[in-house]
Amino acid sequence: MPSKPIDNDAEQRFQLAAGASRRIVRQSRTHAERVTARLSDWINAVPATISTPCGRDKVQALAGDHLSSFGQRLEHLEAQCNAIVSHLSGVQTLLFSDPFQMLPSVPIARAVAEISASCAWELDSRVDSDERAARSYAMAFRSIETVIAQLDGSEAEQLEQLRERLVERLRSQGYGVVRKDRDGVTTNEVVQVKVGRRYAKIGFQYSQRIAAEIPALGSLYASMSGLTHGEPSYLATNWGTPDAVARLLGVVTLRSVEAWSVAIHRWIGASNPPFTNRGHYEDLMRSVPEAHRI
């Protein structure tokens, strides 16, 4: 039986997209490693003044108002930075594999987008210190509630006790904690935190968070989820082709790491220079089939 003819146009598109994405991911990983390595020193060097969002948060923490939330924010940020570096390493490994590991790379890139969006939301320099504090507490409660839902027995009880201690601490500081109401019955599950006049909900959908924090990826997130979950409508269309996935990885990595980096640099009051070559993104766009270009 004769072999299937090679689609030279598709192969050329893939080589162009894969080459550009490899360079973008490599440069993004290098940038993320540098930021992560220096972040602790940068934060320590920020003075406790109102000149920067981080400085304003430090003022509140030193006054005793947001000390716990500030500490939790730093713990979250360290974990998020390490996770982004690790996931970028995974994307890079799969992008350079031969043959190209197309589908396994998508959920890892999706994780980069999710972490970046949550980091941008928690550090948001557009809101005040009270709201950032509420968001940090919300992130802490979400972690606790998520793990409680997955456990039972003594392990779940320990986390429930941890949740109640955190609730008690917040209420002792005059903050509000809202429990979940189920059919008129108040449960122990926490659904919202109030600090001053600012609220933060515990629950959210990643699709909504990414649409808010990284709007350029709103529609692409649905595509990543479709490919990750094996939805036939995505696997059987152009999204299931090697050049489309290679292009997806480059765009998602670039926009996610940009949002993560901008959020950190704005919070500490530092400039955020470009970390990739603009030409790589242009190569990604040139790899799009002419019929699908805007």
Side-chain angles (χ1 to χ4, degrees):
M1 184 175 181
S3 60
K4 184 178 178 180
I6 296 175
D7 185 340
N8 290 323
D9 288 341
E11 177 63 20
Q12 289 175 2
R13 288 197 304 271
F14 169 68
Q15 293 300 335
L16 183 59
S21 288
R22 287 165 183 156
R23 291 187 287 273
I24 287 172
V25 171
R26 182 171 58 242
Q27 291 172 351
S28 297
R29 177 187 174 186
T30 298
H31 175 68
E33 289 174 339
R34 288 174 178 170
V35 170
T36 300
R38 300 174 183 176
L39 188 55
S40 179
D41 290 338
W42 288 348
I43 293 173
N44 290 335
V46 174
T49 67
I50 62 172
S51 60
T52 65
C54 179
R56 291 192 290 274
D57 292 349
K58 280 188 173 183
V59 170
Q60 295 286 346
L62 291 173
D65 295 333
H66 299 159
L67 181 59
S68 180
S69 70
F70 189 77
Q72 288 176 340
R73 190 173 313 132
L74 297 184
E75 290 179 4
H76 297 164
L77 184 55
E78 180 182 9
Q80 289 165 338
C81 290
N82 289 332
I84 281 181
V85 170
S86 180
H87 285 314
L88 287 173
S89 177
V91 175
Q92 183 175 342
T93 297
L94 293 174
L95 258 175
F96 277 86
S97 65
D98 186 16
F100 173 41
Q101 300 298 313
M102 188 173 72
L103 291 181
S105 61
V106 175
I108 306 177
R110 188 177 70 156
V112 173
E114 291 169 347
I115 297 168
S116 297
S118 287
C119 182
W121 179 77
E122 189 172 5
L123 295 183
D124 194 347
S125 60
R126 299 166 297 181
V127 303
D128 61 20
S129 291
D130 280 353
E131 185 153 350
R132 280 191 293 275
R135 291 181 179 189
S136 292
Y137 287 130
M139 291 280 285
F141 277 119
R142 178 180 170 83
S143 297
I144 293 172
E145 298 291 1
T146 298
V147 178
I148 287 176
Q150 298 171 350
L151 300 176
D152 53 24
S154 60
E155 292 180 325
E157 289 178 4
Q158 291 176 3
L159 282 171
E160 288 168 355
Q161 293 170 4
L162 174 62
R163 176 187 60 201
E164 297 311 309
R165 288 196 297 270
L166 183 55
V167 169
E168 182 179 348
R169 184 191 312 163
L170 265 60
R171 286 179 170 168
S172 70
Q173 295 177 294
Y175 302 152
V177 177
V178 180
R179 307 276 193 173
K180 185 173 184 177
D181 183 274
R182 184 179 288 114
D183 299 327
V185 178
T186 301
T187 68
N188 289 330
E189 182 180 348
V190 176
V191 295
Q192 186 170 264
V193 178
K194 180 184 179 185
V195 176
R197 297 183 178 181
R198 308 303 183 191
Y199 294 87
K201 292 182 178 181
I202 310 305
F204 65 91
Q205 297 293 325
Y206 273 111
S207 57
Q208 297 172 342
R209 179 152 296 175
I210 287 174
E213 303 299 333
I214 320 176
L217 298 186
S219 60
L220 292 181
Y221 184 75
S223 301
M224 287 189 289
S225 296
L227 291 170
T228 297
H229 299 144
E231 296 289 346
S233 58
Y234 287 95
L235 294 174
T237 62
N238 288 331
W239 280 116
T241 62
D243 65 299
V245 173
R247 193 161 45 247
L248 178 71
L249 296 176
V251 173
V252 169
T253 296
L254 176 61
R255 297 307 180 208
S256 299
V257 177
E258 278 180 345
W260 168 81
S261 183
V262 166
I264 290 175
H265 284 80
R266 285 181 177 172
W267 183 60
I268 64 175
S271 60
N272 182 47
F275 56 88
T276 61
N277 188 315
R278 172 69 185 179
H280 303 332
Y281 179 77
E282 293 173 353
D283 283 344
L284 284 181
M285 296 303 99
R286 288 198 300 113
S287 72
V288 177
E290 290 187 12
H292 297 153
R293 295 178 188 174
I294 299 175

